[in-house]
Amino acid sequence: MRYAYGVTSALLLAGCAVTLVTGLPAGAQVAQNDSAAIEAVVPRAGAPTSFADLTQLLQPAVVNISTRQRVKVATTNPFAGTPFGDMFGGQGGPGGQGGAPGGGGQTREAQSLGSGFVVSADGYIVTNNHVITAEGAGEVESITVTMTDGTDYPAKLVGKDAASDLAVLKITGPKPFKFVRFGDSHKARVGDWVIAIGNPFGLGGTVTQGIISAVYRNTGTGSAYDRYLQTDASINRGNSGGPMFDMRGNVIGINNAIFSPTGGSVGIGFAIPAETAAPIVEKLMKGVAIERGYLGVRIQPLSDDLAASLGLAKRRGEFVQSVEPGQGAAKSGMQPGDVVVSVDGKDVTPEQSLSYIVANTQPGKHVPVAIIRDGQHLTLNAVVGKRPSEEDLAKAAAADPDQGQDEDFGPGSGQKPHAAGPSIQQALGFGVIPVTPQIARQLGANETIKGVVITEVDESSDAAAKGLQRGDIILSANYKPVTSRAELDALVKQAKAENREAVLLRIQRRGQPPFYFPIRLR
């Protein structure tokens, strides 16, 4: 079960709501959540006086999933580097035999537990990808599905999708399996009753009830599929991959993650909406490749400070920090500092992020992109590319190293490090000096770079809270180039005259691409 304190990390993909078919002849089987059966036990007006009848109908289609894994773990040789190092088979001994000095590696057996549900009479099962995927260098040796009657079945992995955290398994039995169908999560409303069935902490067949606390909750992870149904139904480790049912017995969500400071349920759980999961599951069942759109931009939500620095309304649009060369955004003319407000006629909001819209746009499609650039409204025409795999994206992020602390650029630079203008120091909370070729070399920047470099930061300032540090080079303020303290001072005064509460600074830091920071004025 995924859990986090502060931010929940999960990947989602959206699409139109569909009802999964079993792949069997029409009318051959009846789903456990067939509408006629559900109406007999749940009044249309809302929740029943008891959930027992509803649970009895649905529970046979919910399964427990366990995996057996081989995981590599580090071992420690307490005698490494001594004449007794070879007592441990050479691991960690002189010359690095068996691995790094002081340790080697062993393979141990591990297990994982989760939940899932049957979606066809011939044994297709839906769960989370992280339930059946080994972490790190581990390898899954076997997957076992346990039914409510205790019967175990070996399961075959049909397909998985790391981006949406979904997977499909297949089991085979002597007779048709009881199954359930996806519902329409579009119709879910805050306050609707729901029940969750799963395998928390290995306690199979556990049923909990609650309400939908929020629809399309964005948890702030910045991923393309950060769009959940939130519930207060008790969800814990082992509930991952289990179904969330509405009162008509439809699967409207797949339990995926929780927000928790303790690791246990605190009443904030998240489920992948059915409209997100169903199209992906259908493709995985058929062995169809899943392709997602990609523009090639690094973005962040339009926070209060960003909106204040730009003089824009809150909660509409996302800010472009950088643009990847050669991708659709770059070819369309998009630039760092642009605010994207809509794509293909769809507004960019916290509930419908830019990543979400683009990921669910067919690669190769031409789309209009509405942006705001330096206060001007423009429309760009972009061709959506194909999103790289999650592994490739992770490698690209890892290939952008932080070179560490900057060198001392004060003495011998021809500048006085603390000669900042008092108005700048007071308004922004840091001091600056102009960048010289010598300072640029010491900071690992091109000698031709123009700007001012931060010499000191007031620890009580918003600049310090945002992470600005000594050695950062300020390239621009509110999109205007800055090459001296006087120019920065003038732009701060202009922002105050326009009643802006923040100034947008573009910062160059060693080993990183330029990045925008909104800094509140004091």
Side-chain angles (χ1 to χ4, degrees), residues 64 114-115 197-208 234-239:
N64 302 335
S115 306
I197 305 178
N199 183 29
F201 301 112
L203 303 173
T206 296
V207 182
T208 57
S234 182
I235 295 173
N236 288 284
R237 295 187 188 185
N239 273 113

Side-chain angles (χ1 to χ4, degrees), residues 315-382:
R315 294 181 59 80
R316 184 170 182 260
E318 291 188 5
F319 187 83
V320 178
Q321 285 286 1
S322 61
V323 179
E324 184 179 343
Q327 294 294 336
K331 292 179 179 179
S332 74
M334 193 175 298
Q335 301 175 5
D338 289 345
V339 176
V340 181
V341 294
S342 73
V343 176
D344 200 20
K346 302 178 180 68
D347 289 340
V348 176
T349 66
E351 293 77 23
Q352 186 170 252
S353 68
L354 174 63
S355 296
Y356 170 81
I357 296 172
V358 173
N360 292 282
T361 301
Q362 185 67 30
K365 184 177 182 180
H366 293 250
V367 295
V369 182
I371 67 168
I372 299 174
R373 178 180 296 166
D374 198 12
Q376 302 297 314
H377 290 259
L378 304 171
T379 299
L380 308 176
N381 293 307

Side-chain angles (χ1 to χ4, degrees), residues 9 18 28 42 70 72 86 120 133 138 144-145 160 191-192 221 234 270 295 300 334 343 348 492:
S9 174
V18 299
V42 181
R70 284 288 177 181
K72 291 183 179 180
D86 288 338
S120 69
T133 301
T144 301
V145 169
K160 62 179 182 178
D192 282 348
T221 63
S234 182
F270 302 100
L295 280 180
Q300 73 178 84
M334 193 175 298
V343 176
V348 176
V492 168

Side-chain angles (χ1 to χ4, degrees), residues 206-496:
T206 296
V207 182
T208 57
Q209 59 82 26
I211 62 170
I212 292 179
S213 304
V215 293
Y216 305 139
R217 172 69 75 198
N218 186 309
T219 62
T221 63
S223 67
Y225 314 106
D226 187 13
R227 199 170 187 246
Y228 293 92
L229 295 177
Q230 181 182 327
T231 181
D232 67 346
S234 182
I235 295 173
N236 288 284
R237 295 187 188 185
N239 273 113
S240 277
M244 175 191 291
F245 293 102
D246 64 14
M247 290 298 99
R248 300 190 65 80
N250 296 312
V251 179
I252 60 167
I254 301 175
N255 300 319
N256 176 263
I258 62 175
F259 176 99
S260 175
T262 63
S265 175
V266 294
I268 303 178
F270 302 100
I272 303 171
E275 66 193 84
T276 293
I280 301 173
V281 168
E282 192 169 33
K283 288 182 178 180
L284 292 175
M285 290 172 63
K286 295 178 179 179
V288 177
I290 298 173
E291 294 185 347
R292 299 179 174 87
Y294 187 71
L295 280 180
V297 291
R298 183 182 180 188
I299 56 177
Q300 73 178 84
L302 199 62
S303 64
D304 291 350
D305 288 351
L306 262 175
S309 69
L310 298 169
L312 299 176
K314 304 174 185 177
R315 294 181 59 80
R316 184 170 182 260
E318 291 188 5
F319 187 83
V320 178
Q321 285 286 1
S322 61
V323 179
E324 184 179 343
Q327 294 294 336
K331 292 179 179 179
S332 74
M334 193 175 298
Q335 301 175 5
D338 289 345
V339 176
V340 181
V341 294
S342 73
V343 176
D344 200 20
K346 302 178 180 68
D347 289 340
V348 176
T349 66
E351 293 77 23
Q352 186 170 252
S353 68
L354 174 63
S355 296
Y356 170 81
I357 296 172
V358 173
N360 292 282
T361 301
Q362 185 67 30
K365 184 177 182 180
H366 293 250
V367 295
V369 182
I371 67 168
I372 299 174
R373 178 180 296 166
D374 198 12
Q376 302 297 314
H377 290 259
L378 304 171
T379 299
L380 308 176
N381 293 307
V383 179
V384 177
K386 181 180 177 181
R387 182 180 175 88
S389 68
E390 299 308 302
E391 293 79 7
D392 290 340
L393 290 174
K395 290 178 181 178
D400 184 17
D402 185 348
Q403 299 291 333
Q405 296 295 319
D406 297 318
E407 298 178 28
D408 184 4
F409 52 85
S413 66
Q415 302 286 344
K416 295 181 179 180
H418 303 293
S423 60
I424 297 176
Q425 180 74 21
Q426 182 179 6
L428 293 173
F430 56 77
V432 298
I433 58 174
V435 176
T436 65
Q438 182 177 358
I439 291 176
R441 286 195 302 271
Q442 292 176 339
L443 296 176
N446 191 296
E447 293 184 6
T448 61
I449 195 170
K450 302 295 182 182
V452 293
V453 60
I454 295 176
T455 60
E456 57 182 338
V457 181
D458 183 347
E459 293 183 359
S460 65
S461 66
D462 184 56
K466 297 285 175 57
L468 263 63
Q469 59 193 37
R470 186 171 186 267
D472 286 344
I473 299 174
I474 300 174
L475 304 175
S476 68
N478 286 350
Y479 302 110
K480 303 296 190 300
V482 173
T483 60
S484 67
R485 293 172 301 190
E487 289 178 350
L488 181 57
D489 194 13
L491 291 170
V492 168
K493 291 179 180 178
Q494 180 181 346
K496 287 186 173 182

Side-chain angles (χ1 to χ4, degrees), residues 131-182:
V131 169
I132 51 84
T133 301
E135 295 186 7
E139 180 180 348
V140 174
E141 293 187 328
S142 64
I143 304 173
T144 301
V145 169
T146 303
M147 314 302 287
T148 53
D149 62 2
T151 305
D152 290 336
Y153 292 94
K156 179 182 72 173
L157 178 62
V158 175
K160 62 179 182 178
D161 180 47
S164 59
D165 197 20
L166 292 170
V168 172
L169 309 176
K170 179 71 167 62
I171 58 176
T172 302
K175 58 183 180 180
F177 294 99
K178 296 181 178 179
F179 66 99
V180 290
R181 292 192 177 98
F182 281 110

